[in-house]
Amino acid sequence: MIGRAMLRRCPWCAQPGAWFTGWFSRRDRCPRCGLRWERNPGFMTGSMTVNIIVTFGLMTAVMVATFIATLPDLPVAPLVSVLIAIAAIVPVAIYPLTCTLWAATELAMKPPDAVELAEAGAAASSSSTS
């Protein structure tokens, strides 16, 4: 499921572009399997956490690499500029990826139950006939 999510596919059925119709616009359900995007009310908190971890991890790696490469003459202004650029660009650039990654993680931790799968199947069949 993580591999499917890394390709921005539905983690459950591998439908390409299942949830995202644009960079920030998305469907409520996968058109193939009918699985809901937000399976619980706190979904976006998990997705946001993945986004923050990746962004801060990259910023930390850049800081450490810069410190190691340039000590004792640390270029503060260029380093701060690069860190600000990372903080502004990376979260936006990886937004859909972190959402699908969190959906895959959530599906692995709590697979859909029979009721949720039946609801998803009904939603998928009704969207395919429309």
Side-chain angles (χ1 to χ4, degrees):
M1 283 192 275
I2 298 294
R4 294 178 198 153
M6 293 291 288
L7 297 172
R8 290 184 51 200
R9 294 173 176 253
C10 173
W12 192 253
C13 72
Q15 170 73 22
W19 288 320
F20 284 92
T21 57
W23 203 255
F24 295 109
S25 58
R26 56 184 164 88
R27 298 181 184 98
D28 289 333
R29 295 179 176 272
C30 173
R32 181 187 288 168
C33 68
L35 195 66
R36 287 185 59 80
W37 163 261
E38 293 188 41
R39 296 175 60 220
N40 64 48
F43 176 84
M44 288 310 291
T45 304
S47 174
M48 184 173 45
T49 302
V50 172
N51 199 313
I52 289 168
I53 289 169
V54 171
T55 302
F56 284 6
L58 181 60
M59 290 172 70
T60 302
V62 168
M63 282 190 296
V64 169
T66 303
F67 289 162
I68 291 171
T70 63
L71 277 179
D73 299 321
L74 189 63
V76 175
L79 177 59
V80 170
S81 299
V82 168
L83 293 176
I84 289 172
I86 290 171
I89 295 169
V90 171
V92 174
I94 65 172
Y95 170 74
L97 179 64
T98 58
C99 289
T100 56
L101 278 172
W102 182 249
T105 303
E106 190 178 48
L107 281 168
M109 290 188 303
K110 183 184 176 272
D113 57 13
V115 173
E116 189 176 357
L117 288 174
E119 180 185 285
S125 64
S126 71
S127 71
S128 66
T129 58
S130 333

PDB file of all heavy atoms in Angstrom, residues 58-84:
ATOM      1  N   LEU A  58      14.175  17.374   6.149  1.00  0.00           N
ATOM      2  CA  LEU A  58      14.994  17.953   5.078  1.00  0.00           C
ATOM      3  C   LEU A  58      15.728  19.199   5.567  1.00  0.00           C
ATOM      4  O   LEU A  58      16.919  19.378   5.276  1.00  0.00           O
ATOM      5  CB  LEU A  58      14.125  18.279   3.864  1.00  0.00           C
ATOM      6  CG  LEU A  58      14.861  18.859   2.657  1.00  0.00           C
ATOM      7  CD1 LEU A  58      15.928  17.896   2.150  1.00  0.00           C
ATOM      8  CD2 LEU A  58      13.855  19.179   1.558  1.00  0.00           C
ATOM      9  N   MET A  59      15.044  20.038   6.324  1.00  0.00           N
ATOM     10  CA  MET A  59      15.691  21.242   6.853  1.00  0.00           C
ATOM     11  C   MET A  59      16.849  20.872   7.789  1.00  0.00           C
ATOM     12  O   MET A  59      17.927  21.481   7.732  1.00  0.00           O
ATOM     13  CB  MET A  59      14.673  22.112   7.592  1.00  0.00           C
ATOM     14  CG  MET A  59      13.662  22.770   6.679  1.00  0.00           C
ATOM     15  SD  MET A  59      12.338  23.615   7.569  1.00  0.00           S
ATOM     16  CE  MET A  59      13.234  24.989   8.256  1.00  0.00           C
ATOM     17  N   THR A  60      16.646  19.872   8.611  1.00  0.00           N
ATOM     18  CA  THR A  60      17.702  19.433   9.527  1.00  0.00           C
ATOM     19  C   THR A  60      18.893  18.873   8.757  1.00  0.00           C
ATOM     20  O   THR A  60      20.046  19.169   9.082  1.00  0.00           O
ATOM     21  CB  THR A  60      17.154  18.370  10.501  1.00  0.00           C
ATOM     22  OG1 THR A  60      16.056  18.934  11.220  1.00  0.00           O
ATOM     23  CG2 THR A  60      18.215  17.890  11.463  1.00  0.00           C
ATOM     24  N   ALA A  61      18.634  18.076   7.726  1.00  0.00           N
ATOM     25  CA  ALA A  61      19.722  17.521   6.920  1.00  0.00           C
ATOM     26  C   ALA A  61      20.533  18.624   6.243  1.00  0.00           C
ATOM     27  O   ALA A  61      21.773  18.559   6.204  1.00  0.00           O
ATOM     28  CB  ALA A  61      19.150  16.561   5.880  1.00  0.00           C
ATOM     29  N   VAL A  62      19.845  19.641   5.735  1.00  0.00           N
ATOM     30  CA  VAL A  62      20.548  20.769   5.099  1.00  0.00           C
ATOM     31  C   VAL A  62      21.388  21.526   6.120  1.00  0.00           C
ATOM     32  O   VAL A  62      22.543  21.884   5.852  1.00  0.00           O
ATOM     33  CB  VAL A  62      19.548  21.707   4.388  1.00  0.00           C
ATOM     34  CG1 VAL A  62      20.203  23.017   3.982  1.00  0.00           C
ATOM     35  CG2 VAL A  62      18.953  21.015   3.173  1.00  0.00           C
ATOM     36  N   MET A  63      20.829  21.749   7.309  1.00  0.00           N
ATOM     37  CA  MET A  63      21.595  22.457   8.348  1.00  0.00           C
ATOM     38  C   MET A  63      22.830  21.669   8.765  1.00  0.00           C
ATOM     39  O   MET A  63      23.935  22.224   8.848  1.00  0.00           O
ATOM     40  CB  MET A  63      20.721  22.722   9.576  1.00  0.00           C
ATOM     41  CG  MET A  63      19.770  23.879   9.399  1.00  0.00           C
ATOM     42  SD  MET A  63      18.949  24.381  10.932  1.00  0.00           S
ATOM     43  CE  MET A  63      17.988  22.954  11.329  1.00  0.00           C
ATOM     44  N   VAL A  64      22.678  20.390   9.013  1.00  0.00           N
ATOM     45  CA  VAL A  64      23.808  19.564   9.445  1.00  0.00           C
ATOM     46  C   VAL A  64      24.870  19.508   8.357  1.00  0.00           C
ATOM     47  O   VAL A  64      26.069  19.667   8.634  1.00  0.00           O
ATOM     48  CB  VAL A  64      23.328  18.158   9.848  1.00  0.00           C
ATOM     49  CG1 VAL A  64      24.494  17.198  10.033  1.00  0.00           C
ATOM     50  CG2 VAL A  64      22.482  18.225  11.116  1.00  0.00           C
ATOM     51  N   ALA A  65      24.466  19.295   7.111  1.00  0.00           N
ATOM     52  CA  ALA A  65      25.428  19.240   6.009  1.00  0.00           C
ATOM     53  C   ALA A  65      26.166  20.569   5.857  1.00  0.00           C
ATOM     54  O   ALA A  65      27.380  20.594   5.634  1.00  0.00           O
ATOM     55  CB  ALA A  65      24.716  18.877   4.715  1.00  0.00           C
ATOM     56  N   THR A  66      25.448  21.677   6.013  1.00  0.00           N
ATOM     57  CA  THR A  66      26.077  22.995   5.919  1.00  0.00           C
ATOM     58  C   THR A  66      27.057  23.217   7.062  1.00  0.00           C
ATOM     59  O   THR A  66      28.159  23.724   6.857  1.00  0.00           O
ATOM     60  CB  THR A  66      25.016  24.109   5.901  1.00  0.00           C
ATOM     61  OG1 THR A  66      24.125  23.876   4.817  1.00  0.00           O
ATOM     62  CG2 THR A  66      25.654  25.483   5.748  1.00  0.00           C
ATOM     63  N   PHE A  67      26.657  22.843   8.269  1.00  0.00           N
ATOM     64  CA  PHE A  67      27.557  22.981   9.420  1.00  0.00           C
ATOM     65  C   PHE A  67      28.837  22.185   9.206  1.00  0.00           C
ATOM     66  O   PHE A  67      29.937  22.688   9.425  1.00  0.00           O
ATOM     67  CB  PHE A  67      26.881  22.519  10.711  1.00  0.00           C
ATOM     68  CG  PHE A  67      25.794  23.421  11.206  1.00  0.00           C
ATOM     69  CD1 PHE A  67      24.868  22.950  12.113  1.00  0.00           C
ATOM     70  CD2 PHE A  67      25.673  24.732  10.785  1.00  0.00           C
ATOM     71  CE1 PHE A  67      23.850  23.767  12.587  1.00  0.00           C
ATOM     72  CE2 PHE A  67      24.666  25.561  11.248  1.00  0.00           C
ATOM     73  CZ  PHE A  67      23.751  25.073  12.157  1.00  0.00           C
ATOM     74  N   ILE A  68      28.706  20.947   8.796  1.00  0.00           N
ATOM     75  CA  ILE A  68      29.875  20.083   8.597  1.00  0.00           C
ATOM     76  C   ILE A  68      30.774  20.632   7.490  1.00  0.00           C
ATOM     77  O   ILE A  68      31.997  20.644   7.619  1.00  0.00           O
ATOM     78  CB  ILE A  68      29.429  18.639   8.293  1.00  0.00           C
ATOM     79  CG1 ILE A  68      28.806  18.016   9.544  1.00  0.00           C
ATOM     80  CG2 ILE A  68      30.602  17.792   7.801  1.00  0.00           C
ATOM     81  CD1 ILE A  68      28.131  16.676   9.311  1.00  0.00           C
ATOM     82  N   ALA A  69      30.172  21.094   6.413  1.00  0.00           N
ATOM     83  CA  ALA A  69      30.954  21.544   5.257  1.00  0.00           C
ATOM     84  C   ALA A  69      31.607  22.905   5.450  1.00  0.00           C
ATOM     85  O   ALA A  69      32.639  23.172   4.833  1.00  0.00           O
ATOM     86  CB  ALA A  69      30.068  21.580   4.023  1.00  0.00           C
ATOM     87  N   THR A  70      31.048  23.755   6.303  1.00  0.00           N
ATOM     88  CA  THR A  70      31.545  25.136   6.347  1.00  0.00           C
ATOM     89  C   THR A  70      32.130  25.595   7.677  1.00  0.00           C
ATOM     90  O   THR A  70      32.634  26.705   7.747  1.00  0.00           O
ATOM     91  CB  THR A  70      30.420  26.116   5.972  1.00  0.00           C
ATOM     92  OG1 THR A  70      29.378  26.014   6.935  1.00  0.00           O
ATOM     93  CG2 THR A  70      29.902  25.852   4.583  1.00  0.00           C
ATOM     94  N   LEU A  71      32.042  24.788   8.716  1.00  0.00           N
ATOM     95  CA  LEU A  71      32.596  25.251   9.997  1.00  0.00           C
ATOM     96  C   LEU A  71      34.082  25.525   9.856  1.00  0.00           C
ATOM     97  O   LEU A  71      34.771  24.789   9.161  1.00  0.00           O
ATOM     98  CB  LEU A  71      32.349  24.219  11.095  1.00  0.00           C
ATOM     99  CG  LEU A  71      30.971  24.297  11.744  1.00  0.00           C
ATOM    100  CD1 LEU A  71      30.823  23.226  12.795  1.00  0.00           C
ATOM    101  CD2 LEU A  71      30.661  25.646  12.350  1.00  0.00           C
ATOM    102  N   PRO A  72      34.625  26.514  10.411  1.00  0.00           N
ATOM    103  CA  PRO A  72      34.109  27.445  11.400  1.00  0.00           C
ATOM    104  C   PRO A  72      33.456  28.683  10.800  1.00  0.00           C
ATOM    105  O   PRO A  72      32.919  29.506  11.539  1.00  0.00           O
ATOM    106  CB  PRO A  72      35.346  27.840  12.194  1.00  0.00           C
ATOM    107  CG  PRO A  72      36.445  27.795  11.193  1.00  0.00           C
ATOM    108  CD  PRO A  72      36.068  26.679  10.248  1.00  0.00           C
ATOM    109  N   ASP A  73      33.473  28.875   9.489  1.00  0.00           N
ATOM    110  CA  ASP A  73      32.893  30.082   8.871  1.00  0.00           C
ATOM    111  C   ASP A  73      31.508  29.764   8.320  1.00  0.00           C
ATOM    112  O   ASP A  73      31.326  29.536   7.127  1.00  0.00           O
ATOM    113  CB  ASP A  73      33.799  30.592   7.747  1.00  0.00           C
ATOM    114  CG  ASP A  73      35.167  30.983   8.258  1.00  0.00           C
ATOM    115  OD1 ASP A  73      35.226  31.550   9.361  1.00  0.00           O
ATOM    116  OD2 ASP A  73      36.159  30.701   7.570  1.00  0.00           O
ATOM    117  N   LEU A  74      30.537  29.770   9.169  1.00  0.00           N
ATOM    118  CA  LEU A  74      29.165  29.417   8.799  1.00  0.00           C
ATOM    119  C   LEU A  74      28.509  30.546   8.008  1.00  0.00           C
ATOM    120  O   LEU A  74      28.420  31.678   8.486  1.00  0.00           O
ATOM    121  CB  LEU A  74      28.359  29.125  10.065  1.00  0.00           C
ATOM    122  CG  LEU A  74      26.974  28.547   9.886  1.00  0.00           C
ATOM    123  CD1 LEU A  74      27.045  27.183   9.221  1.00  0.00           C
ATOM    124  CD2 LEU A  74      26.289  28.427  11.227  1.00  0.00           C
ATOM    125  N   PRO A  75      27.993  30.269   6.778  1.00  0.00           N
ATOM    126  CA  PRO A  75      27.310  31.295   5.978  1.00  0.00           C
ATOM    127  C   PRO A  75      25.851  31.434   6.434  1.00  0.00           C
ATOM    128  O   PRO A  75      24.949  30.803   5.888  1.00  0.00           O
ATOM    129  CB  PRO A  75      27.404  30.751   4.563  1.00  0.00           C
ATOM    130  CG  PRO A  75      27.427  29.267   4.743  1.00  0.00           C
ATOM    131  CD  PRO A  75      28.138  29.018   6.043  1.00  0.00           C
ATOM    132  N   VAL A  76      25.606  32.259   7.405  1.00  0.00           N
ATOM    133  CA  VAL A  76      24.294  32.339   8.048  1.00  0.00           C
ATOM    134  C   VAL A  76      23.205  32.825   7.092  1.00  0.00           C
ATOM    135  O   VAL A  76      22.147  32.200   6.983  1.00  0.00           O
ATOM    136  CB  VAL A  76      24.369  33.231   9.304  1.00  0.00           C
ATOM    137  CG1 VAL A  76      22.992  33.408   9.913  1.00  0.00           C
ATOM    138  CG2 VAL A  76      25.326  32.642  10.311  1.00  0.00           C
ATOM    139  N   ALA A  77      23.427  33.928   6.410  1.00  0.00           N
ATOM    140  CA  ALA A  77      22.385  34.493   5.538  1.00  0.00           C
ATOM    141  C   ALA A  77      21.981  33.521   4.416  1.00  0.00           C
ATOM    142  O   ALA A  77      20.785  33.287   4.212  1.00  0.00           O
ATOM    143  CB  ALA A  77      22.825  35.829   4.965  1.00  0.00           C
ATOM    144  N   PRO A  78      22.936  32.916   3.681  1.00  0.00           N
ATOM    145  CA  PRO A  78      22.522  31.948   2.654  1.00  0.00           C
ATOM    146  C   PRO A  78      21.818  30.725   3.245  1.00  0.00           C
ATOM    147  O   PRO A  78      20.845  30.224   2.673  1.00  0.00           O
ATOM    148  CB  PRO A  78      23.831  31.539   1.981  1.00  0.00           C
ATOM    149  CG  PRO A  78      24.781  32.637   2.266  1.00  0.00           C
ATOM    150  CD  PRO A  78      24.373  33.195   3.601  1.00  0.00           C
ATOM    151  N   LEU A  79      22.288  30.269   4.402  1.00  0.00           N
ATOM    152  CA  LEU A  79      21.651  29.105   5.033  1.00  0.00           C
ATOM    153  C   LEU A  79      20.214  29.421   5.421  1.00  0.00           C
ATOM    154  O   LEU A  79      19.297  28.632   5.156  1.00  0.00           O
ATOM    155  CB  LEU A  79      22.445  28.660   6.260  1.00  0.00           C
ATOM    156  CG  LEU A  79      21.848  27.491   7.052  1.00  0.00           C
ATOM    157  CD1 LEU A  79      21.711  26.258   6.177  1.00  0.00           C
ATOM    158  CD2 LEU A  79      22.681  27.207   8.281  1.00  0.00           C
ATOM    159  N   VAL A  80      19.994  30.570   6.020  1.00  0.00           N
ATOM    160  CA  VAL A  80      18.638  30.967   6.417  1.00  0.00           C
ATOM    161  C   VAL A  80      17.749  31.110   5.182  1.00  0.00           C
ATOM    162  O   VAL A  80      16.585  30.691   5.188  1.00  0.00           O
ATOM    163  CB  VAL A  80      18.663  32.263   7.263  1.00  0.00           C
ATOM    164  CG1 VAL A  80      17.269  32.813   7.462  1.00  0.00           C
ATOM    165  CG2 VAL A  80      19.335  32.003   8.601  1.00  0.00           C
ATOM    166  N   SER A  81      18.290  31.658   4.108  1.00  0.00           N
ATOM    167  CA  SER A  81      17.514  31.797   2.864  1.00  0.00           C
ATOM    168  C   SER A  81      17.092  30.432   2.316  1.00  0.00           C
ATOM    169  O   SER A  81      15.942  30.247   1.906  1.00  0.00           O
ATOM    170  CB  SER A  81      18.335  32.537   1.810  1.00  0.00           C
ATOM    171  OG  SER A  81      18.657  33.821   2.252  1.00  0.00           O
ATOM    172  N   VAL A  82      18.016  29.489   2.317  1.00  0.00           N
ATOM    173  CA  VAL A  82      17.698  28.139   1.828  1.00  0.00           C
ATOM    174  C   VAL A  82      16.669  27.476   2.733  1.00  0.00           C
ATOM    175  O   VAL A  82      15.719  26.836   2.249  1.00  0.00           O
ATOM    176  CB  VAL A  82      18.987  27.290   1.715  1.00  0.00           C
ATOM    177  CG1 VAL A  82      18.659  25.827   1.488  1.00  0.00           C
ATOM    178  CG2 VAL A  82      19.873  27.823   0.611  1.00  0.00           C
ATOM    179  N   LEU A  83      16.813  27.627   4.032  1.00  0.00           N
ATOM    180  CA  LEU A  83      15.854  27.023   4.968  1.00  0.00           C
ATOM    181  C   LEU A  83      14.459  27.622   4.823  1.00  0.00           C
ATOM    182  O   LEU A  83      13.459  26.904   4.892  1.00  0.00           O
ATOM    183  CB  LEU A  83      16.362  27.160   6.405  1.00  0.00           C
ATOM    184  CG  LEU A  83      17.624  26.366   6.732  1.00  0.00           C
ATOM    185  CD1 LEU A  83      18.080  26.668   8.145  1.00  0.00           C
ATOM    186  CD2 LEU A  83      17.412  24.886   6.526  1.00  0.00           C
ATOM    187  N   ILE A  84      14.385  28.926   4.600  1.00  0.00           N
ATOM    188  CA  ILE A  84      13.077  29.560   4.371  1.00  0.00           C
ATOM    189  C   ILE A  84      12.451  29.042   3.075  1.00  0.00           C
ATOM    190  O   ILE A  84      11.249  28.770   3.020  1.00  0.00           O
ATOM    191  CB  ILE A  84      13.212  31.096   4.368  1.00  0.00           C
ATOM    192  CG1 ILE A  84      13.499  31.602   5.785  1.00  0.00           C
ATOM    193  CG2 ILE A  84      11.953  31.762   3.809  1.00  0.00           C
ATOM    194  CD1 ILE A  84      13.847  33.075   5.869  1.00  0.00           C
TER     195      ILE A  84
END
